[in-house]
Amino acid sequence: LLLLLGATLLRPGSGSYQHPFYNGFYYNHVMNDKGDGHENAVYFSVAKLMVETPKDPVYSSSGANITLPCHYHYEPEQESKSKIRIKWSKLRDDYTKEQDVLVAIGKTQVAFGDFKGRASLRRNGRREASLVVSDLRLQDGGKYRCEVIDGLEDESNVVELRLQGVVFPYQPRRGQYQLNFAEAERACREQGAVVASFSQLLQAWREGLDWCSAGWLADGTVHYPIRQPRAHCGGLHLAPGIRSYGERHRHLHRFDVFCFSSALRGEIFYLERPAGMTLAEGRQACSDAGAEVARVGQLYSAWKFLGLDRCDAGWLADGSVRYPIAKPRANCGSGEPGVRSFGFPTAGHFGVYCYKER
């Protein structure tokens, strides 16, 4: 039997299968579809598909157009014998199912969801699979996966898009720790912002944010940033950093929220009267000027990106009264730059901050 098996493996001939010497290809036996028991040889290239994206984040701002670079090649070099399929997806902050962005096969491209009409594939160079996104929105920030599929080969890599912006803590009129996760999302949205990610909060902490109230982040976790350790904010014995409550129940648990806003497309200006205005009068004054009462996120963006500096308290759209200080000085709050808050006055007369789209 052994001799017969050896003779079968070594016997040449047109109707037999012959093992080739190693020539840079894998091979495998599969039965053919004739049902006669004979085997066909299927060959697979050992050339490895490589997908490359930038290691450093790509930075941009709200309203801008951006290209997320992605290129692919083979090692060793070879030409593809099949149509390449390219898929872009956005990784969610809470690690649930990825969000489909775009799929392309040949010259056919299809964008999905919020990316319809805004996302397309750039193929200026050979073996390029870069993603172009226009009119960036606040929720576009995050990590994106570039996946290239060539037959049985499927490789991917990740690139991060970071929007330049500002993180601000927010609590509603009802007071501290009143928001479940859905309410926190809505609160940020109403202020022209989105719920901040952990990386955005970390960057804000590095830039000096110190806040002793815990708030939701986009992945459903709860944190707060401390620059100056103190007894009632985690204890004096802890080093400065981001304090964490971990993941919380999105419906049952209630906290504040950290919101993220990016650069403005319009302008913010201040209106005043000698006797001040109520909030209703402020709304009318902004409307008469072809504008609307500014939201909290818009005021923070103007302070951060436009250097808005005004030591005058004014109404905002949520009923709060605030003012932005870029250059700290006497009688204008604490010694640090920031947006000062008078809370939510039930009565009183102030100026108003208006926002007008360009």
Side-chain angles (χ1 to χ4, degrees):
L1 180 59
L2 290 175
L3 290 175
L4 179 59
L5 177 60
T8 301
L9 292 175
L10 294 175
R11 176 171 54 87
S14 60
S16 64
Y17 176 78
Q18 191 172 3
H19 286 267
F21 60 89
Y22 176 74
N23 60 357
F25 290 83
Y26 292 125
Y27 58 88
N28 191 16
H29 295 163
V30 296
M31 301 303 296
N32 65 27
D33 59 0
K34 298 179 181 179
D36 55 9
H38 290 95
E39 294 179 336
N40 291 335
V42 177
Y43 296 85
F44 302 102
S45 170
V46 305
K48 183 169 179 57
L49 176 62
M50 307 293 292
V51 176
E52 296 177 341
T53 55
K55 294 182 179 179
D56 295 327
V58 176
Y59 289 88
S60 190
S61 59
S62 178
N65 301 334
I66 192 66
T67 298
L68 300 180
C70 180
H71 296 80
Y72 63 96
H73 66 277
Y74 300 87
E75 293 182 359
E77 186 61 31
Q78 74 164 29
E79 291 297 327
S80 174
K81 296 181 180 180
S82 59
K83 277 191 175 181
I84 299 297
R85 180 172 180 260
I86 296 170
K87 178 181 178 182
W88 278 91
S89 54
K90 187 173 185 291
L91 309 182
R92 297 186 187 274
D93 290 325
D94 58 3
Y95 302 102
T96 57
K97 184 179 179 181
E98 298 178 1
Q99 178 185 359
D100 291 336
V101 176
L102 178 141
V103 171
I105 303 177
K107 296 182 179 180
T108 302
Q109 303 180 25
V110 179
F112 302 94
D114 293 337
F115 292 95
K116 285 183 178 179
R118 298 194 299 126
S120 62
L121 210 60
R122 188 183 77 174
R123 288 178 171 174
N124 290 348
R126 184 168 177 264
R127 293 177 177 169
E128 182 177 19
S130 301
L131 179 70
V132 178
V133 182
S134 61
D135 189 22
L136 284 178
R137 301 171 182 175
L138 289 174
Q139 59 267 30
D140 290 341
K143 293 182 179 180
Y144 290 75
R145 184 189 307 280
C146 174
E147 184 178 6
V148 179
I149 303 156
D150 179 6
L152 297 178
E153 289 286 321
D154 183 348
E155 295 295 334
S156 66
N157 218 326
V158 173
V159 57
E160 183 177 4
L161 170 61
R162 289 187 185 176
L163 295 185
Q164 296 171 323
V166 56
V167 172
F168 59 94
Y170 187 81
Q171 61 180 229
R173 180 187 294 272
R174 303 193 303 272
Q176 186 183 41
Y177 296 167
Q178 297 294 315
L179 303 171
N180 63 27
F181 186 76
E183 292 167 340
E185 287 184 310
R186 183 167 61 251
C188 288
R189 188 167 57 249
E190 289 173 350
Q191 299 314 312
V194 294
V195 181
S197 67
F198 179 82
S199 62
Q200 290 166 343
L201 181 65
L202 180 61
Q203 182 61 34
W205 171 79
R206 288 170 176 162
E207 294 174 356
L209 182 60
D210 183 286
W211 194 257
C212 193
S213 290
W216 291 104
L217 294 182
D219 61 357
T221 59
V222 174
H223 299 75
Y224 62 100
I226 295 297
R227 299 280 298 183
Q228 298 178 347
R230 44 208 186 269
H232 61 287
C233 297
L236 291 169
H237 62 287
L238 293 178
I242 306 293
R243 310 284 190 253
S244 176
Y245 283 22
E247 189 172 359
R248 302 281 92 181
H249 194 289
R250 296 188 180 207
H251 178 70
L252 297 179
H253 292 152
R254 294 180 176 272
F255 297 93
D256 296 339
V257 62
F258 290 99
C259 302
F260 175 82
S261 181
S262 188
L264 293 173
R265 300 184 187 181
E267 61 175 335
I268 283 187
F269 55 92
Y270 182 78
L271 295 178
E272 60 183 336
R273 293 175 183 172
M277 292 177 277
T278 64
L279 177 56
E281 292 170 337
R283 288 196 179 101
Q284 186 60 52
C286 288
S287 179
D288 292 342
E292 62 183 11
V293 181
R295 304 178 186 186
V296 176
Q298 292 168 340
L299 186 66
Y300 268 94
S301 293
W303 164 76
K304 173 79 172 180
F305 296 104
L306 303 178
L308 185 61
D309 183 283
R310 185 154 192 138
C311 193
D312 297 293
W315 291 106
L316 294 179
D318 66 338
S320 65
V321 173
R322 306 173 194 250
Y323 62 98
I325 296 297
K327 299 176 181 178
R329 52 200 180 275
N331 302 320
C332 291
S334 64
E336 296 293 329
V339 174
R340 317 282 193 247
S341 175
F342 281 9
F344 295 84
T346 55
H349 291 71
F350 304 91
V352 62
Y353 286 96
C354 305
Y355 175 75
K356 187 174 185 178
E357 195 83 19
R358 286 195 184 96

